[in-house]
Amino acid sequence: QVQLVESGGGLVQPGGSLRLSCAADGSIFSINSMGWYRQAPGRERELVATITSGSNTNYADSVKGRFTISRDNANYTVYLQMNSLKPEDTAVYYCNAVLLRTRWDYPRNYWGQGTQVTVSS
């Protein structure tokens, strides 16, 4: 069994910063990629940022220059540093990992439970 445990959400004023963390726990052989997605009320879930095991990153245009994704491979943890937050960043943020549980496994997709980020004055 594998779980993704997120932390770091909350309420912040426009222009402020937050840092999200997500740790993968359980039977894990390797993690191909980790990332963050978000879903605002009435909207579909969208990609925020992803990072591969080789630290190649990909960002949504709306967060480029403001958000930074990083990863601790040894501890199966991914971070999202969010700066210059805007009200439109308000959403539930979900951690994602594509991983293998054993060396004979195929890549599987896992999701965290979500953490609320609210940007408001």
Side-chain angles (χ1 to χ4, degrees):
Q1 191 75 355
V2 175
Q3 286 186 315
L4 302 183
V5 181
E6 301 151 341
S7 61
L11 173 65
V12 64
Q13 292 187 341
S17 298
L18 280 176
R19 188 188 195 214
L20 305 183
S21 300
C22 171
D25 182 54
S27 177
I28 300 169
F29 174 72
S30 66
I31 300 181
N32 292 355
S33 66
M34 301 186 80
W36 293 93
Y37 292 71
R38 67 186 181 188
Q39 187 167 18
R43 302 188 65 175
E44 298 205 350
R45 191 173 297 189
E46 62 178 5
L47 178 145
V48 177
T50 59
I51 184 167
T52 68
S53 58
S55 296
N56 293 312
T57 58
N58 180 44
Y59 293 93
D61 288 342
S62 59
V63 307
K64 283 181 181 176
R66 300 188 297 122
F67 291 9
T68 302
I69 191 170
S70 60
R71 175 172 171 169
D72 179 351
N73 288 331
N75 292 303
Y76 299 138
T77 301
V78 64
Y79 305 96
L80 185 69
Q81 178 65 44
M82 305 185 291
N83 298 329
S84 302
L85 282 160
K86 305 175 181 179
E88 50 263 44
D89 294 317
T90 296
V92 177
Y93 283 69
Y94 295 91
C95 177
N96 172 265
V98 179
L99 61 87
L100 286 75
R101 295 178 301 175
T102 70
R103 63 182 300 173
W104 299 280
D105 199 8
Y106 58 89
R108 297 172 187 264
N109 207 24
Y110 287 87
W111 293 93
Q113 79 284 359
T115 185
Q116 178 70 45
V117 171
T118 302
V119 185
S120 175
S121 55

PDB file of all heavy atoms in Angstrom, residues 40-68:
ATOM      1  N   ALA A  40     -10.098  24.103  -8.627  1.00  0.00           N
ATOM      2  CA  ALA A  40     -10.907  25.171  -8.049  1.00  0.00           C
ATOM      3  C   ALA A  40     -12.379  24.802  -8.177  1.00  0.00           C
ATOM      4  O   ALA A  40     -12.753  23.990  -9.045  1.00  0.00           O
ATOM      5  CB  ALA A  40     -10.617  26.485  -8.768  1.00  0.00           C
ATOM      6  N   PRO A  41     -13.244  25.392  -7.347  1.00  0.00           N
ATOM      7  CA  PRO A  41     -14.679  25.078  -7.418  1.00  0.00           C
ATOM      8  C   PRO A  41     -15.242  25.310  -8.813  1.00  0.00           C
ATOM      9  O   PRO A  41     -15.001  26.359  -9.424  1.00  0.00           O
ATOM     10  CB  PRO A  41     -15.288  26.029  -6.399  1.00  0.00           C
ATOM     11  CG  PRO A  41     -14.193  26.298  -5.432  1.00  0.00           C
ATOM     12  CD  PRO A  41     -12.931  26.309  -6.249  1.00  0.00           C
ATOM     13  N   GLY A  42     -15.952  24.322  -9.322  1.00  0.00           N
ATOM     14  CA  GLY A  42     -16.573  24.445 -10.628  1.00  0.00           C
ATOM     15  C   GLY A  42     -15.637  24.276 -11.802  1.00  0.00           C
ATOM     16  O   GLY A  42     -16.053  24.458 -12.954  1.00  0.00           O
ATOM     17  N   ARG A  43     -14.391  23.918 -11.530  1.00  0.00           N
ATOM     18  CA  ARG A  43     -13.424  23.761 -12.615  1.00  0.00           C
ATOM     19  C   ARG A  43     -12.807  22.376 -12.586  1.00  0.00           C
ATOM     20  O   ARG A  43     -12.870  21.665 -11.573  1.00  0.00           O
ATOM     21  CB  ARG A  43     -12.329  24.822 -12.501  1.00  0.00           C
ATOM     22  CG  ARG A  43     -12.865  26.240 -12.518  1.00  0.00           C
ATOM     23  CD  ARG A  43     -11.753  27.259 -12.601  1.00  0.00           C
ATOM     24  NE  ARG A  43     -11.032  27.176 -13.859  1.00  0.00           N
ATOM     25  CZ  ARG A  43     -10.071  28.020 -14.204  1.00  0.00           C
ATOM     26  NH1 ARG A  43      -9.731  29.002 -13.392  1.00  0.00           N
ATOM     27  NH2 ARG A  43      -9.448  27.885 -15.353  1.00  0.00           N
ATOM     28  N   GLU A  44     -12.203  21.980 -13.681  1.00  0.00           N
ATOM     29  CA  GLU A  44     -11.556  20.685 -13.742  1.00  0.00           C
ATOM     30  C   GLU A  44     -10.167  20.763 -13.087  1.00  0.00           C
ATOM     31  O   GLU A  44      -9.576  21.827 -12.971  1.00  0.00           O
ATOM     32  CB  GLU A  44     -11.432  20.231 -15.206  1.00  0.00           C
ATOM     33  CG  GLU A  44     -12.779  20.068 -15.893  1.00  0.00           C
ATOM     34  CD  GLU A  44     -12.721  19.104 -17.051  1.00  0.00           C
ATOM     35  OE1 GLU A  44     -11.622  18.704 -17.452  1.00  0.00           O
ATOM     36  OE2 GLU A  44     -13.793  18.748 -17.561  1.00  0.00           O
ATOM     37  N   ARG A  45      -9.703  19.595 -12.692  1.00  0.00           N
ATOM     38  CA  ARG A  45      -8.359  19.513 -12.125  1.00  0.00           C
ATOM     39  C   ARG A  45      -7.343  19.851 -13.206  1.00  0.00           C
ATOM     40  O   ARG A  45      -7.456  19.372 -14.341  1.00  0.00           O
ATOM     41  CB  ARG A  45      -8.094  18.116 -11.575  1.00  0.00           C
ATOM     42  CG  ARG A  45      -6.845  18.002 -10.738  1.00  0.00           C
ATOM     43  CD  ARG A  45      -6.719  16.630 -10.083  1.00  0.00           C
ATOM     44  NE  ARG A  45      -7.812  16.382  -9.146  1.00  0.00           N
ATOM     45  CZ  ARG A  45      -7.821  15.317  -8.326  1.00  0.00           C
ATOM     46  NH1 ARG A  45      -6.840  14.439  -8.345  1.00  0.00           N
ATOM     47  NH2 ARG A  45      -8.841  15.143  -7.529  1.00  0.00           N
ATOM     48  N   GLU A  46      -6.349  20.665 -12.830  1.00  0.00           N
ATOM     49  CA  GLU A  46      -5.351  21.079 -13.806  1.00  0.00           C
ATOM     50  C   GLU A  46      -3.943  20.890 -13.261  1.00  0.00           C
ATOM     51  O   GLU A  46      -3.720  20.946 -12.051  1.00  0.00           O
ATOM     52  CB  GLU A  46      -5.545  22.550 -14.187  1.00  0.00           C
ATOM     53  CG  GLU A  46      -5.374  23.522 -13.047  1.00  0.00           C
ATOM     54  CD  GLU A  46      -5.515  24.983 -13.472  1.00  0.00           C
ATOM     55  OE1 GLU A  46      -5.839  25.240 -14.653  1.00  0.00           O
ATOM     56  OE2 GLU A  46      -5.286  25.862 -12.623  1.00  0.00           O
ATOM     57  N   LEU A  47      -3.013  20.698 -14.181  1.00  0.00           N
ATOM     58  CA  LEU A  47      -1.616  20.551 -13.800  1.00  0.00           C
ATOM     59  C   LEU A  47      -1.068  21.878 -13.298  1.00  0.00           C
ATOM     60  O   LEU A  47      -1.344  22.936 -13.868  1.00  0.00           O
ATOM     61  CB  LEU A  47      -0.810  20.077 -15.009  1.00  0.00           C
ATOM     62  CG  LEU A  47       0.696  19.903 -14.817  1.00  0.00           C
ATOM     63  CD1 LEU A  47       1.194  18.721 -15.652  1.00  0.00           C
ATOM     64  CD2 LEU A  47       1.462  21.155 -15.202  1.00  0.00           C
ATOM     65  N   VAL A  48      -0.287  21.805 -12.226  1.00  0.00           N
ATOM     66  CA  VAL A  48       0.443  22.973 -11.731  1.00  0.00           C
ATOM     67  C   VAL A  48       1.917  22.829 -12.087  1.00  0.00           C
ATOM     68  O   VAL A  48       2.498  23.704 -12.732  1.00  0.00           O
ATOM     69  CB  VAL A  48       0.282  23.141 -10.214  1.00  0.00           C
ATOM     70  CG1 VAL A  48       1.108  24.313  -9.715  1.00  0.00           C
ATOM     71  CG2 VAL A  48      -1.191  23.319  -9.845  1.00  0.00           C
ATOM     72  N   ALA A  49       2.527  21.722 -11.654  1.00  0.00           N
ATOM     73  CA  ALA A  49       3.941  21.499 -11.922  1.00  0.00           C
ATOM     74  C   ALA A  49       4.266  20.035 -11.715  1.00  0.00           C
ATOM     75  O   ALA A  49       3.644  19.370 -10.878  1.00  0.00           O
ATOM     76  CB  ALA A  49       4.818  22.352 -11.011  1.00  0.00           C
ATOM     77  N   THR A  50       5.232  19.543 -12.478  1.00  0.00           N
ATOM     78  CA  THR A  50       5.721  18.182 -12.297  1.00  0.00           C
ATOM     79  C   THR A  50       7.241  18.175 -12.321  1.00  0.00           C
ATOM     80  O   THR A  50       7.875  19.100 -12.848  1.00  0.00           O
ATOM     81  CB  THR A  50       5.209  17.229 -13.395  1.00  0.00           C
ATOM     82  OG1 THR A  50       5.644  17.707 -14.673  1.00  0.00           O
ATOM     83  CG2 THR A  50       3.699  17.114 -13.383  1.00  0.00           C
ATOM     84  N   ILE A  51       7.814  17.114 -11.743  1.00  0.00           N
ATOM     85  CA  ILE A  51       9.259  16.964 -11.720  1.00  0.00           C
ATOM     86  C   ILE A  51       9.597  15.489 -11.849  1.00  0.00           C
ATOM     87  O   ILE A  51       8.983  14.645 -11.191  1.00  0.00           O
ATOM     88  CB  ILE A  51       9.874  17.581 -10.431  1.00  0.00           C
ATOM     89  CG1 ILE A  51      11.399  17.513 -10.468  1.00  0.00           C
ATOM     90  CG2 ILE A  51       9.305  16.944  -9.176  1.00  0.00           C
ATOM     91  CD1 ILE A  51      12.060  18.367  -9.387  1.00  0.00           C
ATOM     92  N   THR A  52      10.561  15.165 -12.708  1.00  0.00           N
ATOM     93  CA  THR A  52      10.947  13.773 -12.909  1.00  0.00           C
ATOM     94  C   THR A  52      12.047  13.385 -11.924  1.00  0.00           C
ATOM     95  O   THR A  52      12.581  14.220 -11.203  1.00  0.00           O
ATOM     96  CB  THR A  52      11.456  13.563 -14.338  1.00  0.00           C
ATOM     97  OG1 THR A  52      12.704  14.276 -14.496  1.00  0.00           O
ATOM     98  CG2 THR A  52      10.446  14.059 -15.360  1.00  0.00           C
ATOM     99  N   SER A  53      12.390  12.104 -11.942  1.00  0.00           N
ATOM    100  CA  SER A  53      13.475  11.639 -11.076  1.00  0.00           C
ATOM    101  C   SER A  53      14.796  12.294 -11.454  1.00  0.00           C
ATOM    102  O   SER A  53      15.693  12.412 -10.611  1.00  0.00           O
ATOM    103  CB  SER A  53      13.593  10.119 -11.145  1.00  0.00           C
ATOM    104  OG  SER A  53      13.823   9.716 -12.487  1.00  0.00           O
ATOM    105  N   GLY A  54      14.914  12.745 -12.692  1.00  0.00           N
ATOM    106  CA  GLY A  54      16.114  13.455 -13.122  1.00  0.00           C
ATOM    107  C   GLY A  54      16.026  14.952 -12.963  1.00  0.00           C
ATOM    108  O   GLY A  54      16.867  15.689 -13.485  1.00  0.00           O
ATOM    109  N   SER A  55      14.987  15.400 -12.240  1.00  0.00           N
ATOM    110  CA  SER A  55      14.770  16.817 -11.920  1.00  0.00           C
ATOM    111  C   SER A  55      14.389  17.676 -13.116  1.00  0.00           C
ATOM    112  O   SER A  55      14.565  18.893 -13.080  1.00  0.00           O
ATOM    113  CB  SER A  55      15.994  17.421 -11.208  1.00  0.00           C
ATOM    114  OG  SER A  55      16.196  16.802  -9.965  1.00  0.00           O
ATOM    115  N   ASN A  56      13.864  17.063 -14.155  1.00  0.00           N
ATOM    116  CA  ASN A  56      13.279  17.857 -15.234  1.00  0.00           C
ATOM    117  C   ASN A  56      11.915  18.350 -14.774  1.00  0.00           C
ATOM    118  O   ASN A  56      11.112  17.578 -14.250  1.00  0.00           O
ATOM    119  CB  ASN A  56      13.125  17.020 -16.495  1.00  0.00           C
ATOM    120  CG  ASN A  56      14.462  16.636 -17.084  1.00  0.00           C
ATOM    121  OD1 ASN A  56      15.348  17.476 -17.235  1.00  0.00           O
ATOM    122  ND2 ASN A  56      14.620  15.366 -17.416  1.00  0.00           N
ATOM    123  N   THR A  57      11.659  19.629 -14.971  1.00  0.00           N
ATOM    124  CA  THR A  57      10.431  20.231 -14.465  1.00  0.00           C
ATOM    125  C   THR A  57       9.532  20.729 -15.594  1.00  0.00           C
ATOM    126  O   THR A  57       9.997  21.024 -16.699  1.00  0.00           O
ATOM    127  CB  THR A  57      10.744  21.407 -13.529  1.00  0.00           C
ATOM    128  OG1 THR A  57      11.516  22.380 -14.237  1.00  0.00           O
ATOM    129  CG2 THR A  57      11.511  20.934 -12.296  1.00  0.00           C
ATOM    130  N   ASN A  58       8.247  20.822 -15.256  1.00  0.00           N
ATOM    131  CA  ASN A  58       7.261  21.341 -16.185  1.00  0.00           C
ATOM    132  C   ASN A  58       6.256  22.147 -15.367  1.00  0.00           C
ATOM    133  O   ASN A  58       5.824  21.691 -14.305  1.00  0.00           O
ATOM    134  CB  ASN A  58       6.549  20.186 -16.905  1.00  0.00           C
ATOM    135  CG  ASN A  58       5.519  20.674 -17.893  1.00  0.00           C
ATOM    136  OD1 ASN A  58       5.769  21.612 -18.641  1.00  0.00           O
ATOM    137  ND2 ASN A  58       4.345  20.053 -17.901  1.00  0.00           N
ATOM    138  N   TYR A  59       5.924  23.343 -15.855  1.00  0.00           N
ATOM    139  CA  TYR A  59       5.022  24.229 -15.123  1.00  0.00           C
ATOM    140  C   TYR A  59       3.870  24.681 -16.012  1.00  0.00           C
ATOM    141  O   TYR A  59       4.036  24.876 -17.228  1.00  0.00           O
ATOM    142  CB  TYR A  59       5.757  25.482 -14.649  1.00  0.00           C
ATOM    143  CG  TYR A  59       6.817  25.249 -13.615  1.00  0.00           C
ATOM    144  CD1 TYR A  59       8.141  25.057 -13.975  1.00  0.00           C
ATOM    145  CD2 TYR A  59       6.490  25.252 -12.254  1.00  0.00           C
ATOM    146  CE1 TYR A  59       9.116  24.844 -13.017  1.00  0.00           C
ATOM    147  CE2 TYR A  59       7.462  25.051 -11.292  1.00  0.00           C
ATOM    148  CZ  TYR A  59       8.779  24.848 -11.679  1.00  0.00           C
ATOM    149  OH  TYR A  59       9.743  24.648 -10.728  1.00  0.00           O
ATOM    150  N   ALA A  60       2.725  24.886 -15.386  1.00  0.00           N
ATOM    151  CA  ALA A  60       1.634  25.558 -16.072  1.00  0.00           C
ATOM    152  C   ALA A  60       2.051  27.001 -16.337  1.00  0.00           C
ATOM    153  O   ALA A  60       2.758  27.614 -15.527  1.00  0.00           O
ATOM    154  CB  ALA A  60       0.368  25.527 -15.220  1.00  0.00           C
ATOM    155  N   ASP A  61       1.621  27.544 -17.456  1.00  0.00           N
ATOM    156  CA  ASP A  61       1.996  28.927 -17.794  1.00  0.00           C
ATOM    157  C   ASP A  61       1.575  29.910 -16.706  1.00  0.00           C
ATOM    158  O   ASP A  61       2.259  30.899 -16.449  1.00  0.00           O
ATOM    159  CB  ASP A  61       1.355  29.334 -19.129  1.00  0.00           C
ATOM    160  CG  ASP A  61       1.991  28.646 -20.319  1.00  0.00           C
ATOM    161  OD1 ASP A  61       3.123  28.126 -20.181  1.00  0.00           O
ATOM    162  OD2 ASP A  61       1.356  28.606 -21.392  1.00  0.00           O
ATOM    163  N   SER A  62       0.458  29.624 -16.061  1.00  0.00           N
ATOM    164  CA  SER A  62      -0.089  30.552 -15.075  1.00  0.00           C
ATOM    165  C   SER A  62       0.757  30.661 -13.820  1.00  0.00           C
ATOM    166  O   SER A  62       0.588  31.609 -13.040  1.00  0.00           O
ATOM    167  CB  SER A  62      -1.512  30.135 -14.694  1.00  0.00           C
ATOM    168  OG  SER A  62      -1.517  28.822 -14.161  1.00  0.00           O
ATOM    169  N   VAL A  63       1.672  29.714 -13.591  1.00  0.00           N
ATOM    170  CA  VAL A  63       2.476  29.746 -12.360  1.00  0.00           C
ATOM    171  C   VAL A  63       3.969  29.924 -12.638  1.00  0.00           C
ATOM    172  O   VAL A  63       4.751  30.057 -11.696  1.00  0.00           O
ATOM    173  CB  VAL A  63       2.258  28.475 -11.511  1.00  0.00           C
ATOM    174  CG1 VAL A  63       0.769  28.251 -11.253  1.00  0.00           C
ATOM    175  CG2 VAL A  63       2.893  27.254 -12.146  1.00  0.00           C
ATOM    176  N   LYS A  64       4.358  29.950 -13.887  1.00  0.00           N
ATOM    177  CA  LYS A  64       5.779  30.101 -14.220  1.00  0.00           C
ATOM    178  C   LYS A  64       6.323  31.396 -13.645  1.00  0.00           C
ATOM    179  O   LYS A  64       5.695  32.450 -13.752  1.00  0.00           O
ATOM    180  CB  LYS A  64       5.965  30.086 -15.741  1.00  0.00           C
ATOM    181  CG  LYS A  64       5.892  28.707 -16.355  1.00  0.00           C
ATOM    182  CD  LYS A  64       6.097  28.751 -17.862  1.00  0.00           C
ATOM    183  CE  LYS A  64       5.992  27.368 -18.475  1.00  0.00           C
ATOM    184  NZ  LYS A  64       6.104  27.402 -19.953  1.00  0.00           N
ATOM    185  N   GLY A  65       7.492  31.291 -13.028  1.00  0.00           N
ATOM    186  CA  GLY A  65       8.111  32.462 -12.432  1.00  0.00           C
ATOM    187  C   GLY A  65       7.658  32.745 -11.011  1.00  0.00           C
ATOM    188  O   GLY A  65       8.243  33.575 -10.325  1.00  0.00           O
ATOM    189  N   ARG A  66       6.591  32.083 -10.571  1.00  0.00           N
ATOM    190  CA  ARG A  66       6.082  32.303  -9.211  1.00  0.00           C
ATOM    191  C   ARG A  66       6.196  31.044  -8.349  1.00  0.00           C
ATOM    192  O   ARG A  66       6.430  31.138  -7.145  1.00  0.00           O
ATOM    193  CB  ARG A  66       4.620  32.735  -9.260  1.00  0.00           C
ATOM    194  CG  ARG A  66       4.368  34.011 -10.029  1.00  0.00           C
ATOM    195  CD  ARG A  66       2.917  34.479  -9.861  1.00  0.00           C
ATOM    196  NE  ARG A  66       1.955  33.521 -10.408  1.00  0.00           N
ATOM    197  CZ  ARG A  66       0.976  32.954  -9.699  1.00  0.00           C
ATOM    198  NH1 ARG A  66       0.825  33.249  -8.427  1.00  0.00           N
ATOM    199  NH2 ARG A  66       0.135  32.103 -10.281  1.00  0.00           N
ATOM    200  N   PHE A  67       6.013  29.886  -8.946  1.00  0.00           N
ATOM    201  CA  PHE A  67       6.058  28.623  -8.211  1.00  0.00           C
ATOM    202  C   PHE A  67       7.325  27.864  -8.582  1.00  0.00           C
ATOM    203  O   PHE A  67       7.795  27.927  -9.723  1.00  0.00           O
ATOM    204  CB  PHE A  67       4.858  27.747  -8.564  1.00  0.00           C
ATOM    205  CG  PHE A  67       3.526  28.243  -8.083  1.00  0.00           C
ATOM    206  CD1 PHE A  67       3.362  29.501  -7.533  1.00  0.00           C
ATOM    207  CD2 PHE A  67       2.406  27.429  -8.176  1.00  0.00           C
ATOM    208  CE1 PHE A  67       2.129  29.961  -7.092  1.00  0.00           C
ATOM    209  CE2 PHE A  67       1.165  27.856  -7.741  1.00  0.00           C
ATOM    210  CZ  PHE A  67       1.028  29.130  -7.201  1.00  0.00           C
ATOM    211  N   THR A  68       7.849  27.123  -7.603  1.00  0.00           N
ATOM    212  CA  THR A  68       9.020  26.286  -7.838  1.00  0.00           C
ATOM    213  C   THR A  68       8.769  24.900  -7.254  1.00  0.00           C
ATOM    214  O   THR A  68       8.447  24.778  -6.060  1.00  0.00           O
ATOM    215  CB  THR A  68      10.280  26.886  -7.209  1.00  0.00           C
ATOM    216  OG1 THR A  68      10.509  28.199  -7.737  1.00  0.00           O
ATOM    217  CG2 THR A  68      11.497  26.010  -7.500  1.00  0.00           C
TER     218      THR A  68
END
